[in-house]
Amino acid sequence: MQSVMAVANNTFRETIRDKILYNLVFFALLLIGSSVLLGTLTIGEQARIVKDLGLAAINLVAVIIAIFLGVGLVSREIERRTIYTILARPITRIQFVLGRYIGLAGIVTVNIVIMFAMFLATIWLSGFPIHAALFQAVQLILVESLVVMAIALLFSTFSSATLSASMTIGLYIVGHLTSDLKVIAEKSASQVAKAVMTGLYYMCPNLEVLNIKGQAASGVSLAIETQVLATGYGVLYAGLLLFAACLIFQRREF
Amino acid sequence: MDAIVIEHLTKTFTPMWPWQKASTVLTDVSLRVRQGEIFGFLGHNGAGKTTTMKILLGLLRATSGKVELLGAPAGEVDAHARIGYLPESPYFYDYLTAEEFLTFYGKLAKLSAGSIRSRVPELLKRVGLDEARHRQLRKFSKGMLQRIGLAQAMVHDPELIILDEPMSGLDPMGRKEVRDLILSLRDQGKTVFFSTHILSDVEMICDSVGILARGRMLSQGRVEDLVGEQGAHSIEVVCDGVVGDEVPIVKQCALRILQKGSRCLIMLPGQEVLEEVLSAVRNAKGRLVSVVPHRGSLEEVFVEQSVQRG
Ligand SMILES: Nc1ncnc2c1ncn2[C@@H]1O[C@H](COP(=O)(O)OP(=O)(O)OP(=O)(O)O)[C@@H](O)[C@H]1O
Ligand SMILES: [Mg+2]
C-alpha cells in the first residue's frame, strides 16, 4: 500500500507540475463566466440556464482531463522509459497501475471540487438558489470521470496514446447513446443485428445513468437509492475495466 | 550462493503480427556472478546486454532457461528490495528535484521516512550532486543525470547492483569517479554487475568478465585467466651489448628484433625458446636487462574471439 501511495502521490505531483490543468481550469472559468452572461441575456429561466451550462462545463473539463491524462497514465511511463526503474523496485505491476489510477483520480477530484466551488460561488453571487441536486449531479460527474479514466487506461495498456484517446472518446459518445442501442435492437428485423446491438448495449457503459445535469439544473433531486445505485454501477464498471487493464499490463514486456 | 545465475537463457522476441519475423536475441546464455565481485558484461552494440539485464529485472520474460537473482527467480518482486538497477540512457521524472527524486525511489524501496532522511543527503554527496539537490532534473546535464541514476540505484543500500553502461556519457573524470564508486561498493561487500563495451573499464576494476557476442556467450571467467590464457605466449627480452641479428639462435627464434645502438629488444613467441635465447645472449657476451612476459590485453581477447567465432 505504501508503494501504491508513493506512485499515486508522484502522479499527482507530476500533473500539478506539468501545468496542463491550469489551462483547463481557465477554460472552465470561461464557460461558467459566459453562462452568467448568457443568463443575463435570456428572459426568465436564468437560474436554470446558468446552472445547466455550469454543470456542463465542469463535466466537459472533467472528462477531458480523464481522457487525456488517462491515456498517458501508463503509456507515457513506458514511452519515457521511467517504468524501468519503477518496476525494478519491490512493487508489483498491479500496485503500479493502481497507484497511477489513484493519483489521477485525486487530480480529477481536486479539479472538480475547485470548479464546483467556483460554480457555487457564481450561483450564490447571482442570487440564485442552491439545491442539493447540484451536489448530486457533480458527484455523478466524478463517477463518470472515474469510468472514463478506467476506459482510457485500459485502451492505453495495449495501444498508442492517440489511438486510445480516439477510442475512449468513441466509447464515451456511445456510452451516452446506449438507450438508442436498445431501441435499435428492439426495432431491427435481422436477428444478427439484434444480437449485436443487444450485446453492445450490455457491454458499453451506460453513461446516461450518471447524467442528471438537466434535472439538477431545474432543482429536481434524485431519489437517494437511485443515486447510490448509479454510483455503484459506475464504480463497479470502472473496477472491472481496471481489473482488465491490470491483466493486460501484467503480461506486457518493455 | 551466487548473486546471479543464468542458465541456458534464450530470448526470442515474438512480433505482434504472425506475418512478422520473430528474432532470437539471446541463445543459450549461461553465466554466474559470485557474491561480492564486480562482474563486467562485455559486448558490442546489439549483442544483447540490455536484453539480458531486462530479463534479470523481469521487464522482459525469458523464452526459456533459468534466471535467478539472490536465490529468487527473476521477476520476483520482493527480491527487488535488495537489488538496484540503472537502465541504459536513463530518463527520469524531470519535474522532480534531485532530493524529491531520491525520496520517491526510497519510498518505492519501502525505506522508512527516517532512513530516507538520512540516506538522501548522504547519497547526493557521494555522487557529487550536493549542490544541485533542489534543482529539477530537467535542468541536469547528461552526466548529472547519470549520477542521479546511480544514486537512485543505491538509495536502498542493495546487495546487488545492476548497471547498464554506467559510464556512458561521462567525461574522463566522471568515468573515473564511477569506477571508484563501483570499487567502493565492492569494498562494502556488494555485488556489481555492469555492462559496457569499453574494455579498459573492465580490465581496471572487474574481478570477472563475460563476453557476449550476437546473443551468445563467448567466454567468461576471471580477468587474469582470460588475459593470461591468450597473452602469455609473447615475451620481451631486453639486453645490452649484443646485436640481435648477428646471433643465429636469436634470429631464428625471435618474432621481431629491435636494435638501438648496443641495446636490443627481442620479442619471443613463448616460454619454450626463452632458455635457449638467454644462453645464446650470454655466450655472445651480452648483458641481460629485462625479461617481461607480454600480457595480452582484454581487448586482444575480445577482438580475437569475436573474429574467431563471430
Ligand atoms: N523489443 C524488441 N523487439 C525486437 N528486437 C529487439 C527488442 N529489443 C531489442 N531487440 C534487439 O535485440 C538485440 C540486442 O539488443 P540489446 O539492446 O540487448 O543490445 P546491447 O548489447 O544492449 O547493445 P548496446 O551496446 O547498443 O546497448 C538488438 O539486435 C535489438 O535490435
Ligand atoms: Mg544496451
Side-chain angles (χ1 to χ4, degrees), chain B residues 13 23 25 43-52 54 60 88 164-165 197 212:
Chain B
F13 282 106
S23 62
V25 170
H44 291 298
N45 288 134
K49 305 181 293 293
T50 301
T51 306
T52 309
K54 284 188 182 171
L60 291 172
E88 178 174 41
D164 200 348
E165 308 210 8
H197 42 241
L212 191 70

Side-chain angles (χ1 to χ4, degrees), chain A residues 114-191:
Chain A
I114 293 173
M115 289 189 290
F116 190 57
M118 296 190 298
F119 168 70
L120 287 183
T122 318
I123 294 180
W124 186 69
L125 288 174
S126 318
F128 301 134
I130 294 174
H131 296 290
L134 294 180
F135 290 87
Q136 288 186 322
V138 89
Q139 190 252 322
L140 291 182
I141 289 177
L142 175 61
V143 174
E144 185 189 74
S145 310
L146 292 181
V147 175
V148 172
M149 265 168 55
I151 297 173
L153 177 65
L154 175 61
F155 284 144
S156 77
T157 49
F158 60 85
S159 68
S160 76
T162 331
L163 193 58
S164 309
S166 337
M167 290 196 289
T168 311
I169 293 172
L171 194 55
Y172 177 75
I173 294 170
V174 173
H176 277 286
L177 300 173
T178 47
S179 46
D180 294 342
L181 285 180
K182 199 171 188 189
V183 173
I184 296 172
E186 276 160 7
K187 292 207 172 145
S188 56
S190 129
Q191 280 303 320

Side-chain angles (χ1 to χ4, degrees), chain A:
Chain A
M1 203 56 212
Q2 192 199 346
S3 326
V4 176
M5 284 332 285
V7 173
N9 274 331
N10 188 50
T11 308
F12 196 89
R13 183 149 54 183
E14 172 184 350
T15 335
I16 299 280
R17 295 212 181 150
D18 270 354
K19 302 188 178 91
I20 309 165
L21 295 173
Y22 299 153
N23 305 327
L24 289 171
V25 172
F26 177 71
F27 181 56
L29 270 178
L30 211 70
L31 279 176
I32 294 175
S34 59
S35 73
V36 172
L37 274 180
L38 269 175
T40 55
L41 290 178
T42 328
I43 325 275
E45 295 223 307
Q46 281 130 328
R48 198 185 59 79
I49 291 176
V50 170
K51 288 175 189 170
D52 212 3
L53 284 175
L55 284 175
I58 295 175
N59 200 166
L60 186 63
V61 171
V63 167
I64 290 176
I65 297 178
I67 293 177
F68 289 99
L69 296 187
V71 294
L73 267 185
V74 170
S75 57
R76 226 151 76 107
E77 297 254 354
I78 297 172
E79 225 165 80
R80 298 193 306 185
R81 286 178 290 160
T82 42
I83 191 135
Y84 295 169
T85 42
I86 301 286
L87 293 185
R89 298 279 141 170
I91 176 172
T92 63
R93 294 182 175 199
I94 292 178
Q95 285 173 328
F96 172 75
V97 171
L98 286 183
R100 294 292 285 172
Y101 184 82
I102 292 173
L104 184 53
I107 284 283
V108 170
T109 310
V110 167
N111 270 276
I112 289 180
V113 167
I114 293 173
M115 289 189 290
F116 190 57
M118 296 190 298
F119 168 70
L120 287 183
T122 318
I123 294 180
W124 186 69
L125 288 174
S126 318
F128 301 134
I130 294 174
H131 296 290
L134 294 180
F135 290 87
Q136 288 186 322
V138 89
Q139 190 252 322
L140 291 182
I141 289 177
L142 175 61
V143 174
E144 185 189 74
S145 310
L146 292 181
V147 175
V148 172
M149 265 168 55
I151 297 173
L153 177 65
L154 175 61
F155 284 144
S156 77
T157 49
F158 60 85
S159 68
S160 76
T162 331
L163 193 58
S164 309
S166 337
M167 290 196 289
T168 311
I169 293 172
L171 194 55
Y172 177 75
I173 294 170
V174 173
H176 277 286
L177 300 173
T178 47
S179 46
D180 294 342
L181 285 180
K182 199 171 188 189
V183 173
I184 296 172
E186 276 160 7
K187 292 207 172 145
S188 56
S190 129
Q191 280 303 320
V192 181
K194 200 171 208 128
V196 169
M197 285 302 162
T198 316
L200 272 178
Y201 172 73
Y202 284 111
M203 264 174 56
C204 294
N206 187 350
L207 296 177
E208 258 326 291
V209 171
L210 302 173
N211 176 19
I212 57 161
K213 292 191 292 286
Q215 109 180 48
S218 323
V220 181
S221 306
L222 209 57
I224 203 76
E225 303 88 65
T226 322
Q227 174 94 8
V228 170
L229 214 62
T231 305
Y233 168 75
V235 170
L236 194 70
Y237 200 92
L240 282 175
L241 293 175
L242 213 52
F243 179 71
C246 286
L247 281 186
I248 296 174
F249 191 62
Q250 195 74 293
R251 302 168 46 93
R252 274 208 59 161
E253 297 198 312
F254 308 105

Side-chain angles (χ1 to χ4, degrees), chain B residues 104-166:
Chain B
F104 175 44
Y105 277 81
K107 274 190 204 151
L108 284 181
K110 300 195 161 72
L111 291 187
S112 69
S115 52
I116 288 176
R117 227 171 294 127
S118 64
R119 282 287 290 172
V120 168
E122 178 192 315
L123 263 175
L124 284 171
K125 211 164 280 162
R126 189 160 170 192
V127 296
L129 289 174
D130 201 23
E131 271 155 31
R133 67 180 180 277
H134 293 307
R135 207 178 306 167
Q136 284 192 345
L137 298 194
R138 73 180 68 186
K139 294 174 192 147
F140 270 33
S141 72
K142 191 171 177 199
M144 291 164 85
L145 282 176
Q146 195 73 16
R147 284 159 204 256
I148 196 79
L150 280 165
Q152 162 274 134
M154 303 187 303
V155 72
H156 49 309
D157 198 25
E159 285 165 49
L160 168 64
I161 296 155
I162 299 174
L163 309 169
D164 200 348
E165 308 210 8

